[in-house]
Amino acid sequence: MANEKSEYLLEVKNLKKYFPIKGGLLSHTVGQVKAVDGVSFRIKRGTTMGLVGESGCGKSTVGRTILRLLEKTDGEVIFDGEDVFSLTRQELRKMRTRMQIIFQDPYSSLSPRLPISEIIGEAVREHNLVPANEFDDYITKIMKECGLQEYHKDRYPHEFSGGQRQRICIARALALNPEFILCDEPVSALDVSIQAQIINLLRDLQKQFGLTYLFISHDLSVVEHISDTVGVMYLGSMVEFSETEKIFDHPLHPYTVALFSAIPIPDPNYKMKRIVLQGSIPSPANPPSGCKFHTRCEKCMELCKHVSPDWAEVEPGHFCACHLYNSAERNAQLEAEMKQNAAAQVKQAG
């Protein structure tokens, strides 16, 4: 256990987050939106994990639940050997400085009423991280680390461009000297040229301070560039996880294959082999039985419609949840169980 603690900063085990659906005159719970439904992964210290998937698949909810901005429904989040959800209020307050977030929109995540020095230093002062006589110098140092100048201190957010505002957001997170930063689509609202600057800044800061990132994004090219490992989510569940090079060179799950086929290739002579998924994404309030992807999968088998696939290590370090990669014996066992359960239901109905 001591070795695991030294190697992995963050471990997420079977994390679930359900939101209740209220209905009726008395607002009883009539259903649940399964935003995150049994997600597991680990992030090594000083590395970046990319988390990708379609809009609404639960990526941001995973991140916010890890930081305990949302309370879990089930599962565990282990940060540096401690269960985040077992911490007392006082212990969680101390943990907050070690886990930070960079939000998607640099326009709405900054208070328009505060100057930049206060936005960056507010939490530093609240947690008493530096003596009062060193406060100004500390804020100046953090700003310069993020590409901002000292004369920016007294300006307000509306006086900055989008890229500069995101640098302010990064400085605000970095000022608390964190070990882990959740990057929730930090470049999606920026121009392409500015995106490259912010990505390079994040990589430089990671090397300088030994930071660990969970990088949530829709942009697969950005994820491929910045990430050491990649997890792919579909409808609240993780369907594939591996090292970046391995998963981009050899995706296993049919959903991952379709998702990666949409990555544009900067070659006018290259013919895209785009896989267009049929149908729409099912509702997380009423997900399909069996494999959640079977309603849109070209390789769907009868087994997929009734039995959830195992989360298994198909290759060393390459995890996937798909019946296509089960052994013949395992699929035969699952089919036998499926038929047995069907027969039991018929008998019970009769």
Side-chain angles (χ1 to χ4, degrees):
M1 188 69 182
N3 291 336
E4 276 196 359
K5 183 180 177 182
S6 63
E7 185 177 10
Y8 295 99
L9 179 66
L10 181 71
E11 296 183 68
V12 178
K13 302 178 182 179
N14 197 34
L15 184 65
K16 297 181 180 180
K17 176 58 184 176
Y18 299 167
F19 294 96
I21 301 172
K22 303 290 185 179
L25 291 173
L26 300 177
S27 294
H28 289 304
T29 300
V30 296
Q32 290 180 318
V33 176
K34 298 181 179 180
V36 180
D37 194 16
V39 168
S40 300
F41 58 84
R42 301 188 293 184
I43 309 179
K44 290 183 179 180
R45 296 173 186 272
T47 67
T48 301
M49 174 184 161
L51 193 59
V52 301
E54 292 170 290
S55 295
C57 70
K59 304 186 298 296
S60 294
T61 306
V62 166
R64 289 167 190 244
T65 308
I66 287 171
L67 295 182
R68 204 169 159 182
L69 299 177
L70 298 171
E71 289 297 318
K72 68 172 183 176
T73 300
D74 197 10
E76 290 182 283
V77 176
I78 309 297
F79 179 78
D80 199 19
E82 293 185 85
D83 185 349
V84 172
F85 287 93
S86 67
L87 299 177
T88 64
R89 188 171 180 176
Q90 194 65 29
E91 291 170 335
L92 183 62
R93 177 181 166 82
K94 292 180 181 178
M95 182 74 79
R96 289 286 185 216
T97 62
R98 302 173 65 193
M99 306 171 75
Q100 285 295 301
I101 182 171
I102 300 169
F103 292 100
Q104 176 179 356
D105 186 1
Y107 295 89
S108 62
S109 60
L110 299 174
S111 171
R113 296 180 177 85
L114 294 177
I116 299 312
S117 59
E118 279 302 307
I119 289 175
I120 296 172
E122 188 176 21
V124 175
R125 187 182 286 116
E126 179 68 23
H127 288 276
N128 298 314
L129 294 184
V130 295
N133 61 334
E134 298 177 15
F135 179 81
D136 285 341
D137 291 339
Y138 180 75
I139 298 304
T140 300
K141 174 177 173 290
I142 293 296
M143 289 176 64
K144 288 183 176 178
E145 297 283 4
C146 297
L148 299 166
Q149 301 303 317
E150 186 173 4
Y151 61 80
H152 289 145
K153 274 186 176 181
D154 298 325
R155 295 186 181 181
Y156 288 80
H158 72 271
E159 299 179 71
F160 294 88
S161 66
Q164 287 177 313
R165 291 188 198 194
Q166 198 59 290
R167 288 177 185 272
I168 295 165
C169 294
I170 294 171
R172 178 175 59 183
L174 189 67
L176 294 176
N177 194 25
E179 298 167 50
F180 171 78
I181 298 181
L182 167 64
C183 304
D184 189 3
E185 302 193 41
V187 297
S188 63
L190 307 176
D191 294 338
V192 174
S193 59
I194 306 301
Q195 285 184 11
Q197 294 177 20
I198 297 300
I199 292 298
N200 290 333
L201 172 62
L202 289 171
R203 294 190 70 172
D204 291 342
L205 293 174
Q206 183 175 44
K207 291 177 183 177
Q208 185 175 349
F209 297 101
L211 299 171
T212 303
Y213 294 146
L214 175 60
F215 193 92
I216 297 170
S217 180
H218 284 107
D219 193 326
L220 298 170
S221 300
V222 169
V223 169
E224 184 177 13
H225 178 68
I226 197 173
S227 303
D228 298 290
T229 57
V230 176
V232 182
M233 284 188 67
Y234 180 78
L235 207 64
S237 299
M238 189 83 79
V239 296
E240 192 166 352
F241 176 86
S242 185
E243 295 173 2
T244 304
E245 187 176 349
K246 191 177 290 185
I247 199 170
F248 274 89
D249 288 347
H250 182 46
L252 297 177
H253 198 281
Y255 174 67
T256 310
V257 174
L259 193 68
F260 287 5
S261 74
I263 301 174
I265 306 295
D267 182 354
N269 298 317
Y270 181 84
K271 187 173 181 181
M272 293 284 289
K273 298 176 182 176
R274 178 74 189 274
I275 300 172
V276 180
L277 297 174
Q278 302 301 314
S280 56
I281 306 175
S283 168
N286 186 27
S289 60
C291 174
K292 294 179 180 178
F293 186 60
H294 84 259
T295 57
R296 305 171 74 194
C297 183
E298 293 182 349
K299 299 180 179 180
C300 176
M301 303 178 288
E302 189 63 29
L303 180 64
C304 303
K305 300 177 182 179
H306 304 282
V307 183
S308 296
D310 299 328
W311 179 250
E313 191 171 15
V314 179
E315 303 168 349
H318 198 156
F319 296 84
C320 182
C322 182
H323 290 304
L324 291 172
Y325 302 100
N326 289 346
S327 64
E329 294 81 3
R330 177 59 177 160
N331 276 345
Q333 178 189 354
L334 291 173
E335 286 175 2
E337 291 176 5
M338 179 182 70
K339 291 176 182 177
Q340 188 176 359
N341 291 337
Q345 289 176 1
V346 171
K347 184 177 181 182
Q348 187 177 8

